[in-house]
Amino acid sequence: MIKKLAVFTAVLSLVACGISEAPATKVEKPTVDKSAVEKPTFVFTAIPDADESRLQQRFNKVAVYLSEKLNVDVKYIPVKSYAAAVTAFRNDQVQLAWFGGLSGVRARALVPGSEAIAQGFEDQSFKSYIIAHHATGLKANADLSEAFTGINTQDMTFTFGSKGSTSGRLMPEFYLREEFKAAPSETFARIGFSGDHSRTIAQVQSGAYQVGAVNFKVWEKELESGKIDTNKVSVIWTTPTYPDYQWTIRNDVDQRFGADFKQLVRTTLLEMNDADLLASFPRQSFIPASNDDYAPIENTARAIGLID
Amino acid sequence: MTSSSKNISLAFFIVALVCIPFADLVVYQVEPWDELARMGQGLIQPSFPELSILADSLINTVAFALLAVSGAAVLGLGLALIFKSRIVRIFSASVRAVHELFWGLIFMQVYGLSATTGILAILIPFTGIFAKMFAEIIEQQSRVPNTTLAPQSDHVSRYIYTWLPQAWPQMVSYTRYRFECALRSSTILGFIGLPTLGFYLETAFKQGQYDEAAGLLFSFFILIATIRWWLHSKYIPSTLLVPLYLTLALFALPESPQVYGSSLVQFLSHDIWPKALLNGDIFAVFAWYQHQLLDVAIPALWDTLLLSQLAMVLTGLLVLLFYPWASKVFFPKRFSLMRGFGRSALLILRSVPEMIFAFVFLLIFGPSGIPAVLALALHNAGLISYLLMRHSEQLNYRTDSGRGLNHYVYDVTPRVYPHFLSLLLYRWEVIIRESAILGILGITTLGFYIDSAFEDIRYDRALFLIVISALLNIAVDSFSRKIRAL
């Protein structure tokens, strides 16, 4: 028995030591790769606002396109949350990212000199919908206060999307705060975070939550695909427009990938016109953008205390 | 049943009853049927992702779990040796207190989405669990062999020659069980982006692609249900099979991104401390901690305790209801169909991530404590019932003992009851930890705020709240030790 134990323990401890070393040896792998000897691999990430299925396959196509145009190896890594995307960007595990409005602002604050270089055509004037279950009796109105006139919100439940989402949380929360002069948790009986726009729609449609905030593009996409029963859930208010998703790039890419690399990336993104590639985001095209375009998002986030 | 276990049970039950009026157990009027029908349809007609994706994510899930469990078992074995030390106990309770997902989020700050993150996120809390459980198993062994040694024998020799050989079979069996738990943890780590089964499961579920979610869940059930065939073999001794698998696992690990030492330094020296502290403004530091404690931590602590109390007592009730249906004691060979059904049901209950239960109950009851308590209780009841069922099968029964309900009420249940209570008390801290994942229900537990802090990239706040959770866990741990000693 003791002998068995000793052998087993010895093997396990060897393995345990192996764990700490394994990733290190793995990391060096790309440098052995011949094509990557001169230039490191350019890595990007993206979390689309709708349809996260088969991310790897869809964005690998984008990677192939970028690689051809940029003349470097390009790799896509999938992430699950805005926070993870920001962390990867900050730690230089990705050099380019398709961020939401708020996550882009956060990322650029953490990586001085990083720049928003392009946004989706639709992202110049993005908007969110406030949606409500039919049993609430809430009706569509162009004016937020009139939409809620005569309604006691204290008995109502409200769900945002993901905690770090611009369209599912930041902007709707800002307008709710302006209207009700209080934090949403004080305005409504309960605030949930569904984590995703599709979940928000499913939850409000079933009445699990009575009111919710959702990205307009996701709503329209699900409406088109027949997932929404408008007798059960409808849009009661639309936020004013704001800038949202954008491509942000790290400041040090020119040193590492060659002079004018940043400009080349920008041009390549702006020239992307293959509908199949654009559908992954999903956007009709990309247009130029700058950090200043996102000042409204930054101010709003500061106003409601999401950033310091 | 001893009178102390009777008193403990009664006390917990009464506390839970007292909690009910404070807990928010509102039921909302809902119309869940369309969504539930879509789910049902997905379950009936599951679809599977491409084979390469499925195989890849299954291999990653198993590789993370295997490597993490073997590392944790070795470390836990070492810590169990010195578990009498208060510092070791506090250390173990602290690392256990933090949910695997949060360990994952912490390591992600430095190692990115890599194998290192995945393995460490499981290895570290599991080390704390192994240390505690191994120490307890050793404590239960006979002291007689120990007295036969020469008085000058050192601590380590005593450990190796008297305690370990006795405790070994139980420790091996516990390690096997932990491996199943590690597969679950490994899967769940996919929710934050590691390339395990959970990555695709969460996406499919979130997007309402229930057919694919069902396919992935079924794959996971099959993985768990077949452990006894692929991890234990009649023909190959496990002293060969386990090292073989571990070696394979090392090669199967996904490629890791570049890691910079500076990220670690930055995280430890800058990110986790409040700005005021870095600026050296003592008054502002004090104000910051006071705000976090009074406005966030304490109300969250209250919600966490309330919820976990109710969930724990409901878990206990469900366990007593569930365990006999899967036990050979009540359903011997000729009822093996019933028993097989019972076992499968327990497997499903303990394998479905709580998040999925929470979402289904949210649709049915609306957002409140109800879906949270049900999700936590069903999942944990599935787990404890399984362990209790196995325990009930290991006992010897008189040939003239009663049948059916009499057997259950007067013989088996009283005899398994002490074990049941200790499992439940142990699970108490797990329930507290798991209440973290119920953010979709808008229940502001400690875990809800920790998750928000990570999402808001406020690691100073995350760290502070994690320390509070660790303190809570240390308190619960020492309290439940005292209760068990009664």
Side-chain angles (χ1 to χ4, degrees), chain A residues 252-270:
Chain A
D252 48 9
V253 289
D254 284 359
Q255 285 98 296
R256 288 161 56 195
F257 297 93
D260 290 331
F261 188 77
K262 192 188 284 183
Q263 190 51 43
L264 184 62
V265 174
R266 186 200 299 256
T267 323
T268 306
L269 290 170
L270 297 180

Side-chain angles (χ1 to χ4, degrees), chain B residues 390-452:
Chain B
R390 287 212 313 201
H391 182 67
S392 73
E393 289 180 355
Q394 282 158 9
L395 299 175
N396 295 316
Y397 299 94
R398 290 160 54 128
T399 42
D400 63 346
S401 61
R403 290 266 163 270
L405 200 59
N406 282 335
H407 192 38
Y408 170 77
V409 175
Y410 295 108
D411 191 5
V412 186
T413 303
R415 289 180 60 191
V416 300
Y417 205 82
H419 189 64
F420 159 75
L421 264 191
S422 84
L423 284 172
L424 199 59
L425 283 174
Y426 169 64
R427 215 57 207 170
W428 190 10
E429 62 175 66
V430 182
I431 291 174
I432 289 178
R433 184 162 70 225
E434 285 171 348
S435 68
I437 43 90
L438 301 170
I440 54 166
L441 304 174
I443 298 170
T444 46
T445 58
L446 273 170
F448 173 86
Y449 287 113
I450 297 175
D451 179 56
S452 301

Side-chain angles (χ1 to χ4, degrees), chain A residues 102 105 170 296-308:
Chain A
L102 177 58
V105 165
L170 174 71
I297 296 290
E298 191 174 341
N299 295 336
T300 310
R302 193 160 285 132
I304 67 174
L306 279 179
I307 56 175
D308 297 318

Side-chain angles (χ1 to χ4, degrees), chain A:
Chain A
M1 171 50 67
I2 292 297
K3 217 168 106 195
K4 253 189 188 176
L5 171 73
V7 171
F8 193 59
T9 319
V11 171
L12 288 187
S13 41
L14 274 180
V15 168
C17 300
I19 293 174
S20 47
E21 275 161 32
T25 49
K26 290 259 174 182
V27 168
E28 276 148 33
K29 240 187 193 167
T31 51
V32 184
D33 201 312
K34 269 181 197 152
S35 57
V37 168
E38 307 114 45
K39 284 177 190 168
T41 306
F42 185 59
V43 189
F44 77 102
T45 189
I47 320 178
D49 47 5
D51 189 11
E52 287 180 31
S53 62
R54 288 168 193 77
L55 283 182
Q56 189 81 54
Q57 291 93 316
R58 284 158 50 199
F59 282 97
N60 278 349
K61 286 189 216 158
V62 178
V64 169
Y65 167 80
L66 291 175
S67 181
E68 277 167 12
K69 299 275 177 174
L70 300 174
N71 206 16
V72 290
D73 283 346
V74 178
K75 193 181 153 199
Y76 165 76
I77 57 165
V79 292
K80 273 282 179 189
S81 68
Y82 294 112
V86 172
T87 304
F89 186 76
R90 179 196 196 188
N91 292 348
D92 199 19
Q93 282 151 355
V94 303
Q95 290 81 44
L96 173 74
W98 173 246
F99 284 123
L102 177 58
S103 46
V105 165
R106 280 178 168 149
R108 290 190 294 274
L110 289 169
V111 183
S114 54
E115 254 184 88
I117 52 172
Q119 61 179 189
F121 178 80
E122 295 89 332
D123 293 295
Q124 311 167 72
S125 51
F126 217 76
K127 55 199 175 185
S128 304
Y129 290 147
I130 302 287
I131 57 173
H133 188 244
H134 70 91
T136 57
L138 289 167
K139 292 278 169 283
N141 202 304
D143 190 287
L144 183 58
S145 54
E146 278 173 34
F148 278 97
T149 302
I151 302 278
N152 182 10
T153 54
Q154 296 288 344
D155 300 333
M156 273 184 181
T157 56
F158 186 100
T159 186
F160 289 114
S162 160
K163 285 172 183 166
S165 163
T166 309
S167 56
R169 195 224 178 143
L170 174 71
M171 297 315 287
E173 174 166 346
F174 174 74
Y175 289 108
L176 288 173
R177 278 178 186 258
E178 271 211 326
E179 173 57 34
F180 294 101
K181 307 275 179 277
S185 56
E186 288 157 31
T187 307
F188 295 97
R190 186 189 305 276
I191 295 293
F193 291 92
S194 71
D196 180 83
H197 298 296
S198 304
R199 296 291 78 186
T200 303
I201 296 173
Q203 287 175 9
V204 178
Q205 178 154 273
S206 72
Y209 277 94
Q210 291 159 313
V211 191
V214 68
N215 173 317
F216 85 107
K217 279 195 66 93
V218 178
W219 171 271
E220 272 155 24
K221 194 177 169 214
E222 299 227 329
L223 196 62
E224 218 171 275
S225 65
K227 283 191 187 163
I228 296 174
D229 179 352
T230 45
N231 292 321
K232 294 230 167 102
V233 55
S234 57
V235 175
I236 57 162
W237 187 67
T238 307
T239 64
T241 61
Y242 52 85
D244 204 347
Y245 286 75
Q246 89 293 150
W247 285 105
T248 293
I249 193 163
R250 285 181 63 95
N251 55 335
D252 48 9
V253 289
D254 284 359
Q255 285 98 296
R256 288 161 56 195
F257 297 93
D260 290 331
F261 188 77
K262 192 188 284 183
Q263 190 51 43
L264 184 62
V265 174
R266 186 200 299 256
T267 323
T268 306
L269 290 170
L270 297 180
E271 285 172 359
M272 192 189 290
N273 50 21
D274 181 343
D276 185 38
L277 296 183
L278 288 166
S280 294
F281 293 92
R283 294 292 183 267
Q284 55 166 285
S285 65
F286 293 117
I287 58 163
S290 70
N291 289 3
D292 293 341
D293 292 338
Y294 291 87
I297 296 290
E298 191 174 341
N299 295 336
T300 310
R302 193 160 285 132
I304 67 174
L306 279 179
I307 56 175
D308 297 318

